[in-house]
Amino acid sequence: MSNYKLLTPGPLTTTDTVKQQMLFDHCTWDDDYKKITQDIRRELLALAHVSPEEEPDQLSAESLESGEYTVVLMQGSGTFGVESVITSVVGEEDKLLILANGAYGERMGDIARHAKIDHEIYNEHYSQVPDADVVEEILKKDQKITHVAMVHSETTSGILNDIEAIGKVVKEQGKVFIVDVMSSFGGVDIPVKEWGIDFIISSANKCIQGVPGFSFIIARKDLLLESKGKARSLSLDLYDQWKTMSIDGKWRFTSPTHVVLAFAQALKEMREEGGIEARNRRYTENNQLLIKKMAELGIYPYIGDAHQGPIITTFYYPEQVSFKFEDMYAYIKERGYAIYPGKVTEAETFRIGNIGEIYKEDIERLCEITKEFLEECSHE
Ligand SMILES: *Cc1c(COP(=O)(O)O)cnc(C)c1O
């Protein structure tokens, strides 16, 4: 099989050095392994700007647990993390408000429905961001609402929602704020506490550039402790997962050891690149170049400039040429890149992710390939 790079929102193209870490079969109860988990947890807190700036090797279990926020690693893909938070912290007497402007927001609604959690959904058009004034109105009108959940980078369209503005309203109204930062954490700087966020969820295989296998939750510790005994699921019980992990870094059930080793390496490489700031710069440059080059081919983004995020872009099909997505996908794949189908319902679109080990050269190459494809289509 010939190799290709992923221009998808995760799993994404990782470095060989990240993948090489998975050649080692690590013992799970070994102290070295538990320390790797603790180092990862410490580093995630630092990335979220909620931990003291101590070096990971000075770490003790006490110092990791002494802060206002804590970290839980959870087996499974990103959705498992979102489901773990929603079904563990929204109690039986509570009500959840979900803001949805894409498939991942809607999935939170699905999770609530499955768990029979009392909830309400504020749907916004896929091309628009949820409005803080509307959220304020809903919260003032329905005093039963205790929790608010939303997505930051809605991967469905590539839109970047204004979680800072919503967080402000949610805090003013004294509610708990849960944010899916799956496809933005590590690629966009998120000062978690400053923005009033109580729980964030992301996963190993997005902007930190690890491989799939677990999600992670950064949680306000007092609210996590309060959730004890509320979980509707055994394996997704956030409190119980934390309880075991907080002792010395041991995972409650079998941990994805190879994925954890790869993730530790991915964090190291992120630090070497220059942290979130450098990664955000590379992604933003990739994204702007992509949008500029595509415009030269008559291909324009679905999301307006003001809210387009730096992670993934939805593009309308060009007007003059007609083709099937499958043909374009195959043509581009043969030439070294995998792209993503569109997910918005009202128009024909496709998506290009620009996160992972993707650089300017890749964006230029992709746009050349797309140009050749469109030329071939118009000759037919
Ligand atoms: C990737 C992603 C998820 C999680 O999806 P999984 O397929 O479960 O990993 C959730 N929310 C957003 C915004 C995502 O981009």
Side-chain angles (χ1 to χ4, degrees), residues 77-79 104 107 151 153 155 180 182-183 206:
S77 81
T79 305
Y104 293 101
R107 188 174 295 173
V151 175
S153 164
T155 319
D180 165 346
M182 208 70 67
S183 65
K206 305 249 170 157

Side-chain angles (χ1 to χ4, degrees), residues 9-11 76-82 103-105 107-108 151-156 180-184 201 203 205-206 212 311 340:
S77 81
T79 305
F80 291 62
V82 177
Y104 293 101
R107 188 174 295 173
M108 288 176 160
V151 175
H152 184 212
S153 164
E154 196 23 289
T155 319
T156 311
D180 165 346
V181 296
M182 208 70 67
S183 65
S184 54
I201 309 109
S203 77
N205 60 282
K206 305 249 170 157
I311 307 297
Y340 230 44

